[in-house]
Amino acid sequence: MAKKVRKTQAKSAKKPRSYKLSKQNKIILGSLLMLFSIALFFSFVSFFFNWQDDQSLLSEFQDRNEEAKNLLNKFGAAVSHFFVYKGFGIATLILPILLCLTGLHMFLGLEQKGMLKKWIWGLVFMIWISIALGFFAYTQPLLGGLVGFEMNDFLQDYTGKIGVMLLLVFGMILIMVRLFDFSPEAIGSYFQRKSSDLKAEFSSDKSKSSTTVVLDTKEEAPVVIDTYTHKKDIPSLKKEAELEKTFDKIEITPPKEMPQEELAMEVEKVVEEKEEVDNIADKLVDDFGEFDPTLELGSYKFPTLELLDPHGVTGGITINQEELEENKNRIVQTLNNYKIGIAQIKATIGPTVTLYEIVPEAGVRISKIKNLEDDIALSLAALGIRIIAPIPGKGTIGIEVPNKNATIVSMRSVIASSKFQKAEMQLPIAFGKTISNETFVVDLAKMPHLLMAGATGQGKSVGLNAVLTSLLYKKHPAEVKFVLVDPKKVELTLFNKIERHYLAKLPDSEDAIITDNTKVIHTLNSLCIEMDNRYELLKTAMVRNIKEYNDKFKARKLNPNDGHMFLPYIVLVIDEFADLIMTAGKEVETPVARLAQLARAIGIHLIIATQRPSVNVITGIIKANFPARIAFRVTSKIDSRTILDAQGADQLIGRGDMLYTQGNDVTRIQCAFVDTPEVAKITDYIGSQRAYPSAHMLPEYVGEDSGTGIDYDIADRDALFREAAEVIVTAQQGSASLIQRKLKLGYNRAGRIVDQLEAAGIVGPFEGSKARQVLVPDLVALDQLLSNETN
């Protein structure tokens, strides 16, 4: 039995088959296509000169003694007869060209995305040429081939020669517009350019002649390809950047006298320019593919299953028939003692708990069975039972009874399950297994935040390790970053080894794992600044959430020169929240509540754990924004109600036994066990690989105690001080992030300029996460203030 289970697990651990060609196979197939296209080209060309001599050999193809005059002998004669004579005539020469291009792309390992378009329009062009030659050169059937001759003859029977001529003209227009971007404007600009060149040549006074510059948006500028990260600017198409800036600066403020027709033309012009930018982005995607954020660490390898221990029997659950029958009989007997009849009873065996579903006889009140909870526990001699009356979605009553011999759910079995491996989620987390022995996988991005609570030693830290391990096995370092807060200083220390891969921290922090309460406050406020900055990016990109933003960025429709970048998910993990509330109070609760309320759409998700789920720690504001909650074993029903809004957590058996709710029903799960040595092996495996130069840097945060009482000398002011002051006064918003975006500066320099603006009396003092107050009403007052300083 165990061997069979191991085999099934090994099969489930295997990755799904991929039918993508390897690099070696692409080179082989590409060279074959190129050589085959050359052979077809020579055979087709040779056929036009020798087709009459080779006609008689087609019926004697199997005779080895006969030779054809075609350069590829009888094979070339037969193939050419089929494609040229019976096919498309001279237009068949397009076919080897398409085959050669396809083979060249495969041989050089280029993207194949644009090849389908080339094939479609190449075949359309081939059919059009065949019909056109069949119409104009009907006396020479070899030029248009049998297809062109027959198609022309068929069309003439129904539309006549004029109809065929009009169809051919329409076909030419279709091909020119779709394939060669033909437009009347392009012809007009061409003749305008030629006429201006002629005027310039025949002009007697060249120095006074005016030159007309025509911007041809159809030409592509040189492209610079580079790999880059979320921290660096992206070399992009110069034309795209110019067009984006042109579009952003266009303002339509028509006077009242402007005719309606001119207004419509202006609007249409703006729309056309925006469509031109989108067309350039589409061409970039066709030529180079979508932007891949994982390129900088392209050689990164995900952790393997061998790093995790099986923890005993990996197969499933051992069924003890005697125990099942004994418990069933005791449940039935106990209920019969209180004159409660049972129509049906069945058992579902889980790793640590067995669920007995009973269907009571008609007329039995559910509350009567719920009140017998302690009596049933006494008769079963169990650690603690839990009655679910009724089970949601079923017409039964559930009685959960702990197994005498519990089965450990290993993290390896959960990670190897097909449900986790095939999970199409943004942030998949595998918690463990349910009572029905199914792997329980949820998406953190849809929770969107998670609250964990339980008494000391009941499995909270192991649960956090299971969450982090799930994300490490599924997400690339470019896609997710962790902010780890560990007041205990020992629980999350092992994750220091992956600092430059997965962790995020403040610019002035030495350790990525945050243990000091002051740094926790600074980090939470820094995340609030990051949240505001990300929302600003989403607003300029005109999208609603981080997924839409990243999809648009990957499609190369956002210009990095405007501050856009790929945004990784940020997961904030706080191991002991009660300690922070005790020491910092509102300074911690306020930014946590703000992040919980607003940060979901921009990819910042919170996981908060505490061993004291009291109302002064888990306040109403926090609970309202944490619909997903996990309760390990707690000591009282009050704590269970505080965390779950329902009782039941006080009847758990500990050692990873937990209840999960996301606002509706409660699910009992046995949390997967991942030991400290396993986490150490995973972090060592990741840490030994090539990493980013540093951890992901959060925005710099300056606390109130480090405000600027310094009086900056005018000579020491930044070179961009005046421009920054004009930006702040115009926007009436005193924030470093605004200066950073408008003047394209680093955050440190922008922060120094804000300090200088405060010293000059242009902005007010620091006010936490809010923007500073602007003390100067307009640019005239600013000029007067600065001129008084110089005088």
Side-chain angles (χ1 to χ4, degrees):
M1 180 71 184
K3 289 183 178 179
K4 289 183 179 180
V5 174
R6 289 194 185 95
K7 287 182 180 179
T8 55
Q9 276 208 337
K11 288 181 180 178
S12 63
K14 289 181 180 178
K15 293 183 178 179
R17 291 184 179 180
S18 176
Y19 297 98
K20 189 176 181 181
L21 289 175
S22 63
K23 184 178 180 182
Q24 292 83 357
N25 291 336
K26 284 184 178 180
I27 294 173
I28 294 171
L29 186 57
S31 60
L32 175 63
L33 289 176
M34 287 191 290
L35 294 175
F36 183 63
S37 65
I38 294 172
L40 287 180
F41 179 79
F42 282 115
S43 65
F44 292 165
V45 173
S46 177
F47 181 77
F48 288 108
F49 299 98
N50 304 311
W51 68 278
Q52 292 177 335
D53 297 331
D54 294 338
Q55 284 291 94
S56 59
L57 295 176
L58 295 176
S59 60
E60 302 176 2
F61 188 81
Q62 296 179 352
D63 191 353
R64 297 181 61 180
N65 295 324
E66 296 292 338
E67 288 190 6
K69 290 187 178 181
N70 194 288
L71 291 177
L72 268 76
N73 211 330
K74 287 183 288 185
F75 172 78
V79 173
S80 301
H81 178 77
F82 178 78
F83 282 104
V84 179
Y85 188 83
K86 290 187 176 182
F88 305 94
I90 197 171
T92 314
L93 291 173
I94 294 176
L95 186 61
I97 295 174
L98 292 174
L99 283 172
C100 187
L101 285 174
T102 305
L104 186 63
H105 274 67
M106 296 184 73
F107 186 82
L108 298 177
L110 302 177
E111 291 287 339
Q112 298 286 332
K113 290 186 178 180
M115 286 308 303
L116 180 61
K117 182 180 178 182
K118 290 183 176 66
W119 270 95
I120 292 173
W121 287 107
L123 295 176
V124 170
F125 196 41
M126 187 169 69
I127 295 171
W128 184 88
I129 292 175
S130 177
I131 298 174
L133 290 175
F135 179 77
F136 292 107
Y138 57 89
T139 57
Q140 300 290 334
L142 188 64
L143 294 178
L146 188 61
V147 172
F149 183 81
E150 292 293 339
M151 287 290 293
N152 175 64
D153 190 47
F154 173 79
L155 291 173
Q156 285 194 28
D157 289 343
Y158 287 95
T159 62
K161 289 188 177 181
I162 295 178
V164 176
M165 177 73 75
L166 295 176
L167 288 173
L168 288 174
V169 172
F170 174 74
M172 174 56 73
I173 293 174
L174 176 67
I175 293 171
M176 293 294 290
V177 171
R178 300 294 297 176
L179 193 58
F180 301 106
D181 291 335
F182 168 83
S183 65
E185 291 83 1
I187 294 179
S189 63
Y190 174 79
F191 283 111
Q192 185 180 1
R193 199 160 54 241
K194 288 298 181 183
S195 63
S196 63
D197 291 342
L198 289 173
K199 287 179 183 179
E201 287 181 7
F202 290 101
S203 177
S204 58
D205 189 5
K206 293 185 180 180
S207 61
K208 297 180 182 180
S209 63
S210 61
T211 59
T212 304
V213 180
V214 180
L215 178 63
D216 187 3
T217 58
K218 300 297 180 184
E219 298 177 359
E220 292 187 359
V223 183
V224 181
I225 306 173
D226 193 9
T227 57
Y228 56 93
T229 65
H230 47 278
K231 304 171 191 172
K232 301 179 182 177
D233 289 337
I234 307 169
S236 61
L237 195 65
K238 186 177 180 181
K239 184 76 67 181
E240 180 182 356
E242 292 175 356
L243 289 173
E244 286 282 2
K245 290 177 181 177
T246 304
F247 179 75
D248 291 337
K249 292 178 182 178
I250 292 176
E251 294 181 2
I252 304 175
T253 53
K256 295 181 180 178
E257 304 85 34
M258 177 177 285
Q260 192 69 24
E261 293 81 4
E262 293 185 16
L263 178 60
M265 290 177 63
E266 289 290 335
V267 174
E268 185 177 357
K269 182 180 178 182
V270 174
V271 173
E272 288 178 354
E273 290 182 356
K274 187 61 180 175
E275 289 179 351
E276 189 67 31
V277 175
D278 292 338
N279 290 336
I280 291 177
D282 293 337
K283 288 181 180 178
L284 275 174
V285 173
D286 290 339
D287 294 338
F288 305 107
E290 291 189 344
F291 167 69
D292 185 4
T294 65
L295 278 180
E296 186 170 357
L297 295 185
S299 59
Y300 175 79
K301 295 181 180 179
F302 286 91
T304 60
L305 285 175
E306 286 70 24
L307 299 173
L308 296 171
D309 297 332
H311 292 295
V313 181
T314 59
I317 302 166
T318 304
I319 300 175
N320 190 336
Q321 287 294 133
E322 295 181 2
E323 183 181 349
L324 285 177
E325 286 294 326
E326 184 180 352
N327 287 340
K328 184 192 75 170
N329 294 332
R330 287 185 176 179
I331 291 173
V332 173
Q333 183 182 353
T334 304
L335 294 176
N336 285 335
N337 291 337
Y338 293 92
K339 298 180 181 180
I340 298 174
I342 296 176
Q344 183 183 352
I345 183 169
K346 66 175 182 177
T348 303
I349 305 168
T352 56
V353 174
T354 299
L355 173 64
Y356 294 89
E357 294 183 56
I358 61 174
V359 179
E361 292 180 347
V364 176
R365 297 172 63 90
I366 293 177
S367 59
K368 192 173 183 181
I369 298 178
K370 290 187 72 172
N371 293 333
L372 297 176
E373 187 172 345
D374 294 335
D375 299 281
I376 297 173
L378 178 63
S379 65
L380 295 174
L383 292 175
I385 67 168
R386 178 169 167 262
I387 294 181
I388 312 168
I391 297 177
K394 296 182 179 181
T396 59
I397 296 173
I399 301 176
E400 294 176 348
V401 181
N403 298 334
K404 291 182 179 178
N405 298 316
T407 303
I408 297 177
V409 176
S410 65
M411 196 69 199
R412 177 169 181 163
S413 64
V414 173
I415 295 292
S417 64
S418 59
K419 190 171 183 180
F420 178 76
Q421 293 292 333
K422 297 178 182 179
E424 296 294 333
M425 300 177 179
Q426 298 173 49
L427 294 174
I429 296 175
F431 280 121
K433 293 190 176 181
T434 62
I435 290 180
S436 57
N437 204 32
E438 295 179 358
T439 303
F440 190 81
V441 183
V442 291
D443 190 357
L444 178 61
K446 293 182 179 179
M447 287 185 185
H449 310 294
L450 178 63
L451 187 61
M452 302 174 65
T456 304
Q458 303 304 318
K460 287 192 314 301
S461 297
V462 175
L464 287 177
N465 286 337
V467 170
L468 296 174
T469 302
S470 300
L471 295 175
L472 292 178
Y473 267 86
K474 202 70 175 175
K475 305 304 290 184
H476 190 276
E479 298 173 321
V480 64
K481 300 295 178 184
F482 300 119
V483 178
L484 303 181
V485 178
D486 183 16
K488 298 179 185 176
K489 304 181 181 180
V490 292
E491 294 293 346
L492 303 175
T493 310
L494 291 173
F495 292 95
N496 262 325
K497 300 173 186 176
I498 59 172
E499 174 181 337
R500 293 190 296 140
H501 291 86
Y502 281 99
L503 300 191
K505 65 177 184 179
L506 292 173
D508 57 344
S509 297
E510 295 181 3
D511 298 326
I513 311 295
I514 306 164
T515 56
D516 181 64
N517 286 344
T518 303
K519 288 188 176 181
V520 172
I521 297 170
H522 288 188
T523 302
L524 292 174
N525 284 283
S526 175
L527 285 173
C528 290
I529 297 172
E530 174 74 12
M531 177 181 70
D532 295 335
N533 293 342
R534 289 192 173 197
Y535 268 118
E536 190 69 28
L537 291 176
L538 262 63
K539 185 181 77 171
T540 56
M542 291 182 289
V543 293
R544 297 180 60 189
N545 53 55
I546 186 173
K547 188 176 185 301
E548 294 177 5
Y549 178 88
N550 284 338
D551 289 343
K552 199 169 183 179
F553 186 82
K554 288 179 181 178
R556 301 181 186 273
K557 293 184 179 179
L558 298 176
N559 193 344
N561 291 334
D562 296 336
H564 293 293
M565 65 190 76
F566 181 82
L567 300 179
Y569 286 93
I570 297 178
V571 180
L572 170 64
V573 179
I574 301 178
D575 187 26
E576 186 45 69
F577 188 63
D579 182 68
L580 297 179
I581 293 295
M582 288 175 60
T583 55
K586 288 290 183 182
E587 289 182 288
V588 168
E589 184 183 351
T590 302
V592 166
R594 188 161 182 260
L595 288 171
Q597 290 169 350
L598 301 174
R600 174 181 64 177
I602 45 85
I604 299 178
H605 302 280
L606 281 62
I607 301 176
I608 293 178
T610 180
Q611 63 182 356
R612 201 183 67 186
S614 55
V615 290
N616 60 338
V617 174
I618 305 175
T619 60
I621 297 176
I622 292 177
K623 282 183 66 175
N625 294 286
F626 283 79
R629 302 170 199 167
I630 287 177
F632 293 91
R633 186 181 182 185
V634 294
T635 55
S636 67
K637 292 183 179 180
I638 297 176
D639 290 343
S640 178
R641 289 188 178 276
T642 303
I643 181 68
L644 293 177
D645 294 329
Q647 63 184 25
D650 56 311
Q651 296 164 329
L652 299 175
I653 61 174
R655 295 177 61 84
D657 190 17
M658 69 183 200
L659 296 176
Y660 171 82
T661 180
Q662 200 168 356
N664 38 30
D665 57 333
V666 179
T667 306
R668 191 166 186 173
I669 305 167
Q670 177 59 43
C671 183
F673 178 65
V674 52
D675 205 359
T676 303
E678 297 175 71
V679 177
K681 285 189 285 186
I682 294 171
T683 54
D684 286 337
Y685 181 86
I686 296 174
S688 62
Q689 302 183 52
R690 189 171 72 89
Y692 294 110
S694 63
H696 181 79
M697 291 299 171
L698 298 173
E700 187 176 1
Y701 171 78
V702 180
E704 293 185 21
D705 53 348
S706 56
T708 57
I710 305 172
D711 186 12
Y712 283 90
D713 189 4
I714 297 178
D716 295 335
R717 285 177 179 172
D718 194 281
L720 296 176
F721 174 83
R722 175 89 185 201
E723 295 181 38
E726 292 176 354
V727 168
I728 293 294
V729 172
T730 303
Q732 287 295 304
Q733 180 182 349
S735 67
S737 59
L738 177 65
I739 298 175
Q740 186 181 4
R741 290 193 306 273
K742 294 294 185 181
L743 302 182
K744 298 179 181 177
L745 304 177
Y747 195 88
N748 293 334
R749 185 178 179 185
R752 286 194 297 271
I753 293 177
V754 170
D755 294 341
Q756 295 169 9
L757 292 172
E758 181 186 350
I762 298 173
V763 298
F766 179 79
E767 298 181 13
S769 59
K770 297 181 182 178
R772 294 171 182 253
Q773 183 182 0
V774 181
L775 305 177
V776 179
D778 50 32
L779 293 177
V780 176
L782 176 65
D783 291 337
Q784 186 176 0
L785 175 66
L786 296 179
S787 62
N788 291 337
E789 286 185 347
T790 55
N791 295 333

